Amino acid sequence: MSAAAPWRLFLAVWPAPEIAMALNAWARTAQVECGGRVTLAANIHLTLAFLGDISPERVPRLADCVRRADGSGHVLALEEARYWKHSRVVWAGPREIPPALAAVAGALERELVLAGFTTEAREFNAHVTLLRMARLPRLLPSLPSLPWQVDEIVLVRSQLSSTGSSYAVLERFPLA
Ligand code: 2AM
């Protein structure tokens, strides 16, 4: 019997709809300056760990790792908007990564590695992608004040198509 086709998976924090809508509205304003494709409000998230292609049979083991990772709820303030030239992405992120967010990302990484999962080699860089295929902006509009209450981690399956990525939340893990 052949193994099930892999799923493209990642662990993330997902904003409440009003925060996602405010970020999407901001991105549409920034688009006037730098073009590009705006991330749909429903797709806005911050990735904690990217797993890539994983056999669906390993999902229960992956979920156990997330449950073992200690983490606490906290507020994430997105204060800075930046442009990455190499990926042509406009993103928002905190000026400094909240210690609780860094701690949960670190705990996840440790548990995943212990359980034999391979995560991305890049250092954790807390960012929320808001525009793709953008030109270098001269100046980005300032971000509204968006206190994002982070109170759960989500396990997400990403499916790629010609119209972009679609995301399905497979499981939610509350933070203490
Ligand atoms: P991005 O927004 O910077 O592209 C789903 O694709 C999520 O996983 C996105 O947040 C994306 O980050 C991130 N992601 C996609 N491919 C990745 C990779 N190879 N390494 C790390 N993160 C990745």
Side-chain angles (χ1 to χ4, degrees):
M1 204 171 70
S2 63
W7 290 354
R8 184 178 166 87
L9 299 177
F10 64 100
L11 292 158
V13 292
W14 220 268
E18 58 275 15
I19 299 223
M21 282 185 299
L23 287 169
N24 174 266
W26 179 90
R28 280 186 273 120
T29 313
Q31 190 185 34
V32 175
E33 164 67 20
C34 58
R37 204 179 69 222
V38 173
T39 306
L40 294 174
N43 284 353
I44 290 176
H45 66 275
L46 184 149
T47 293
L48 294 173
F50 180 76
L51 292 139
D53 287 343
I54 299 284
S55 162
E57 286 102 27
R58 296 181 77 200
V59 168
R61 200 176 158 88
L62 176 54
D64 284 343
C65 287
V66 185
R67 278 187 281 271
R68 274 197 302 273
D70 275 338
S72 47
H74 56 275
V75 174
L76 170 64
L78 299 180
E79 295 151 328
E80 288 203 328
R82 300 264 193 85
Y83 178 73
W84 274 334
K85 216 171 173 174
H86 66 280
S87 52
R88 300 179 60 208
V89 150
V90 172
W91 57 275
R95 202 159 285 135
E96 276 178 36
I97 299 180
L101 186 69
V104 77
L108 283 172
E109 172 73 21
R110 278 191 298 280
E111 294 295 341
L112 292 168
V113 169
L114 274 174
F117 289 97
T118 310
T119 57
E120 62 168 317
R122 288 186 306 195
E123 201 185 327
F124 174 57
N125 194 336
H127 71 282
V128 178
T129 298
L130 295 174
L131 286 156
R132 294 186 191 275
M133 297 184 297
R135 298 184 298 271
L136 175 69
R138 274 163 307 172
L139 190 67
L140 285 168
S142 51
L143 283 160
S145 168
L146 297 168
W148 171 349
Q149 182 63 46
V150 175
D151 49 22
E152 65 177 12
I153 298 170
V154 287
L155 172 62
V156 185
R157 181 178 177 195
S158 163
Q159 285 178 290
L160 306 173
S161 74
S162 53
T163 53
S165 302
S166 70
Y167 301 128
V169 172
L170 301 182
E171 202 159 338
R172 297 173 182 277
F173 306 89
L175 291 166

